[in-house]
Amino acid sequence: MPVERTLSIVKPDGVRRNQIGEVYRRFEGAGLRIVAARMLQLTTSQAELFYEVHRGRPFYGDLVRYMSSGPVVAQVLEGEDAIARNRQIMGATDPKKAVPGTIRADLAESIEANVVHGSDSPETAVREIAFFFSTTELCPRA
Ligand code: UDP
Ligand code: MG
Protein backbone atom coordinates (compact mmCIF):
# COMPACT_ATOMS: atom_id res chain seq x y z
CA MET A 1 0.00 0.00 0.00
CA PRO A 2 1.40 3.42 -0.91
CA VAL A 3 1.79 6.14 1.73
CA GLU A 4 -0.69 8.84 0.72
CA ARG A 5 -1.88 12.21 1.93
CA THR A 6 -5.51 13.26 1.92
CA LEU A 7 -7.45 16.40 2.82
CA SER A 8 -9.96 16.11 5.64
CA ILE A 9 -12.29 18.78 7.02
CA VAL A 10 -14.30 18.84 10.25
CA LYS A 11 -17.30 20.72 8.87
CA PRO A 12 -19.17 23.54 10.68
CA ASP A 13 -21.69 21.18 12.35
CA GLY A 14 -18.85 19.06 13.79
CA VAL A 15 -17.05 22.13 15.16
CA ARG A 16 -20.32 23.54 16.55
CA ARG A 17 -21.10 20.28 18.37
CA ASN A 18 -17.60 19.92 19.91
CA GLN A 19 -16.71 16.88 17.83
CA ILE A 20 -13.20 17.89 16.71
CA GLY A 21 -11.49 15.73 19.32
CA GLU A 22 -13.73 12.75 18.68
CA VAL A 23 -12.99 12.93 14.94
CA TYR A 24 -9.23 13.27 15.54
CA ARG A 25 -9.34 10.34 17.98
CA ARG A 26 -10.80 8.17 15.24
CA PHE A 27 -8.15 9.21 12.69
CA GLU A 28 -5.28 8.67 15.10
CA GLY A 29 -6.78 5.45 16.44
CA ALA A 30 -6.80 4.12 12.89
CA GLY A 31 -3.11 4.96 12.49
CA LEU A 32 -3.51 8.03 10.25
CA ARG A 33 -1.16 10.89 11.15
CA ILE A 34 -2.23 14.54 11.19
CA VAL A 35 0.61 16.31 9.35
CA ALA A 36 -1.02 19.76 9.01
CA ALA A 37 -4.04 21.42 10.65
CA ARG A 38 -5.78 24.76 10.49
CA MET A 39 -9.05 26.34 11.70
CA LEU A 40 -10.76 28.94 9.53
CA GLN A 41 -14.16 30.12 8.34
CA LEU A 42 -14.63 29.81 4.58
CA THR A 43 -16.03 32.77 2.68
CA THR A 44 -18.91 32.13 0.30
CA SER A 45 -16.59 32.30 -2.69
CA GLN A 46 -14.06 29.93 -1.11
CA ALA A 47 -16.84 27.40 -0.40
CA GLU A 48 -18.14 27.79 -3.97
CA LEU A 49 -14.66 27.13 -5.35
CA PHE A 50 -13.93 24.20 -3.04
CA TYR A 51 -17.16 22.46 -4.13
CA GLU A 52 -16.89 23.61 -7.78
CA VAL A 53 -17.35 19.98 -8.91
CA HIS A 54 -20.92 20.07 -7.53
CA ARG A 55 -21.93 23.40 -9.13
CA GLY A 56 -25.35 22.93 -10.76
CA ARG A 57 -26.42 20.11 -8.43
CA PRO A 58 -29.67 20.81 -6.52
CA PHE A 59 -27.89 20.83 -3.15
CA TYR A 60 -25.05 23.17 -4.21
CA GLY A 61 -26.47 26.47 -2.89
CA ASP A 62 -27.36 25.01 0.50
CA LEU A 63 -24.01 23.21 0.69
CA VAL A 64 -22.10 26.47 0.10
CA ARG A 65 -24.18 28.29 2.74
CA TYR A 66 -23.66 25.49 5.24
CA MET A 67 -19.91 25.17 4.62
CA SER A 68 -19.42 28.92 5.14
CA SER A 69 -21.79 29.12 8.16
CA GLY A 70 -19.09 28.73 10.83
CA PRO A 71 -15.49 27.69 11.43
CA VAL A 72 -14.11 24.45 10.04
CA VAL A 73 -10.91 22.56 10.85
CA ALA A 74 -8.92 21.38 7.84
CA GLN A 75 -6.23 18.73 8.23
CA VAL A 76 -3.94 16.67 6.08
CA LEU A 77 -3.91 12.98 7.00
CA GLU A 78 -0.98 10.79 6.06
CA GLY A 79 -0.70 7.02 6.04
CA GLU A 80 -0.83 3.89 3.95
CA ASP A 81 -3.82 4.04 1.61
CA ALA A 82 -4.90 7.20 3.48
CA ILE A 83 -7.44 8.37 0.88
CA ALA A 84 -9.58 5.21 0.89
CA ARG A 85 -9.03 4.57 4.60
CA ASN A 86 -10.23 8.05 5.53
CA ARG A 87 -13.33 7.49 3.36
CA GLN A 88 -13.98 4.24 5.26
CA ILE A 89 -13.59 5.95 8.62
CA MET A 90 -15.99 8.72 7.47
CA GLY A 91 -18.71 6.40 6.15
CA ALA A 92 -21.26 7.04 3.41
CA THR A 93 -22.37 10.59 2.58
CA ASP A 94 -25.89 9.89 3.90
CA PRO A 95 -25.58 8.97 7.61
CA LYS A 96 -28.67 6.76 7.27
CA LYS A 97 -26.71 4.60 4.80
CA ALA A 98 -23.38 4.75 6.65
CA VAL A 99 -22.05 1.64 8.39
CA PRO A 100 -22.30 1.80 12.22
CA GLY A 101 -18.96 2.73 13.75
CA THR A 102 -18.18 5.28 11.04
CA ILE A 103 -18.06 9.00 11.86
CA ARG A 104 -21.12 9.82 9.82
CA ALA A 105 -23.24 6.93 11.14
CA ASP A 106 -22.32 7.75 14.73
CA LEU A 107 -22.20 11.57 14.72
CA ALA A 108 -23.92 13.11 11.67
CA GLU A 109 -27.26 14.92 11.75
CA SER A 110 -28.20 14.76 8.04
CA ILE A 111 -26.92 14.11 4.54
CA GLU A 112 -25.81 17.75 4.39
CA ALA A 113 -24.53 18.27 7.93
CA ASN A 114 -22.41 15.14 7.90
CA VAL A 115 -19.43 16.22 10.08
CA VAL A 116 -16.52 15.52 7.75
CA HIS A 117 -15.17 15.97 4.26
CA GLY A 118 -12.51 13.70 2.73
CA SER A 119 -10.79 13.71 -0.65
CA ASP A 120 -12.08 10.98 -2.97
CA SER A 121 -9.05 10.32 -5.25
CA PRO A 122 -5.30 11.08 -5.50
CA GLU A 123 -6.00 13.92 -7.97
CA THR A 124 -8.64 15.46 -5.69
CA ALA A 125 -6.32 15.11 -2.69
CA VAL A 126 -3.57 17.11 -4.42
CA ARG A 127 -6.00 19.88 -5.38
CA GLU A 128 -7.73 19.97 -2.00
CA ILE A 129 -4.52 19.93 0.08
CA ALA A 130 -3.20 22.86 -1.98
CA PHE A 131 -6.51 24.68 -1.42
CA PHE A 132 -5.76 24.90 2.33
CA PHE A 133 -2.00 24.44 2.80
CA SER A 134 1.27 25.52 1.24
CA THR A 135 3.96 22.86 0.87
CA THR A 136 5.98 24.35 3.75
CA GLU A 137 3.01 23.87 6.13
CA LEU A 138 3.03 20.09 5.66
CA CYS A 139 5.16 18.57 8.39
CA PRO A 140 7.55 15.72 7.65
CA ARG A 141 6.81 12.37 9.21
CA ALA A 142 7.96 12.02 12.82
N1 UDP B 1 -24.61 16.79 -0.04
C1 UDP B 1 -25.92 17.17 0.23
N2 UDP B 1 -26.94 16.48 -0.40
C2 UDP B 1 -26.71 15.46 -1.27
C3 UDP B 1 -25.39 15.09 -1.54
C4 UDP B 1 -24.35 15.77 -0.90
O1 UDP B 1 -26.18 18.10 1.00
O2 UDP B 1 -27.67 14.88 -1.80
C5 UDP B 1 -23.50 17.53 0.62
C6 UDP B 1 -22.89 16.75 1.80
O3 UDP B 1 -22.47 17.69 2.79
C7 UDP B 1 -21.73 16.07 1.12
C8 UDP B 1 -21.25 17.17 0.16
O4 UDP B 1 -22.47 17.76 -0.31
O5 UDP B 1 -20.74 15.67 2.05
C9 UDP B 1 -20.42 16.72 -1.02
O6 UDP B 1 -21.11 15.67 -1.68
P1 UDP B 1 -20.35 14.36 -2.16
O7 UDP B 1 -21.26 13.61 -3.05
O8 UDP B 1 -19.00 14.74 -2.71
O9 UDP B 1 -20.18 13.52 -0.81
P2 UDP B 1 -18.89 13.17 0.08
O10 UDP B 1 -17.71 13.04 -0.85
O11 UDP B 1 -18.72 14.30 1.07
O12 UDP B 1 -19.25 11.88 0.75
MG1 MG C 1 -17.03 14.31 -2.33
Side-chain angles (χ1 to χ4, degrees), residues 3 15 17-18 29 34 40 50 68 75 79 83 91 94 100 103 112 116 133 138:
V3 172
V15 173
R17 289 187 292 131
N18 262 7
I34 296 160
L40 74 159
F50 185 77
S68 54
Q75 49 280 329
I83 297 166
D94 182 350
I103 291 171
E112 179 182 81
V116 278
F133 298 99
L138 303 177

Side-chain angles (χ1 to χ4, degrees), residues 86-94 98-99 102-105 116:
N86 178 43
R87 298 286 307 192
Q88 278 169 10
I89 295 164
M90 289 164 57
T93 310
D94 182 350
V99 173
T102 61
I103 291 171
R104 284 163 164 175
V116 278

Side-chain angles (χ1 to χ4, degrees), residues 110-123:
S110 68
I111 190 168
E112 179 182 81
N114 59 6
V115 190
V116 278
H117 167 84
S119 307
D120 63 7
S121 71
E123 297 70 32

Side-chain angles (χ1 to χ4, degrees), residues 5 33-34 37 59 89 94 97 106 108 126-127 131 134:
R5 286 174 167 176
R33 302 189 70 86
I34 296 160
F59 58 84
I89 295 164
D94 182 350
K97 297 182 184 152
D106 295 352
V126 168
R127 170 190 178 267
F131 190 95
S134 61

Side-chain angles (χ1 to χ4, degrees), residues 4-135:
E4 293 175 337
R5 286 174 167 176
T6 189
L7 191 276
S8 160
I9 303 174
V10 182
K11 293 179 172 184
D13 60 307
V15 173
R16 220 172 266 135
R17 289 187 292 131
N18 262 7
Q19 293 169 335
I20 300 167
E22 174 61 22
V23 169
Y24 273 35
R25 188 188 67 74
R26 290 172 184 237
F27 293 153
E28 294 191 325
L32 294 175
R33 302 189 70 86
I34 296 160
V35 297
R38 170 178 177 210
M39 179 177 259
L40 74 159
Q41 182 158 357
L42 294 171
T43 63
T44 301
S45 47
Q46 284 174 319
E48 282 173 351
L49 190 60
F50 185 77
Y51 277 118
E52 185 71 36
V53 64
H54 293 310
R55 194 184 288 273
R57 306 277 290 278
F59 58 84
Y60 181 72
D62 283 342
L63 174 61
V64 167
R65 266 187 294 280
Y66 152 62
M67 284 300 289
S68 54
S69 68
V72 299
V73 183
Q75 49 280 329
V76 177
L77 306 178
E78 184 181 84
E80 285 189 9
D81 207 20
I83 297 166
R85 284 185 51 223
N86 178 43
R87 298 286 307 192
Q88 278 169 10
I89 295 164
M90 289 164 57
T93 310
D94 182 350
K96 293 206 271 314
K97 297 182 184 152
V99 173
T102 61
I103 291 171
R104 284 163 164 175
D106 295 352
L107 307 177
E109 288 179 324
S110 68
I111 190 168
E112 179 182 81
N114 59 6
V115 190
V116 278
H117 167 84
S119 307
D120 63 7
S121 71
E123 297 70 32
T124 317
V126 168
R127 170 190 178 267
E128 292 182 347
I129 290 170
F131 190 95
F132 286 97
F133 298 99
S134 61
T135 327

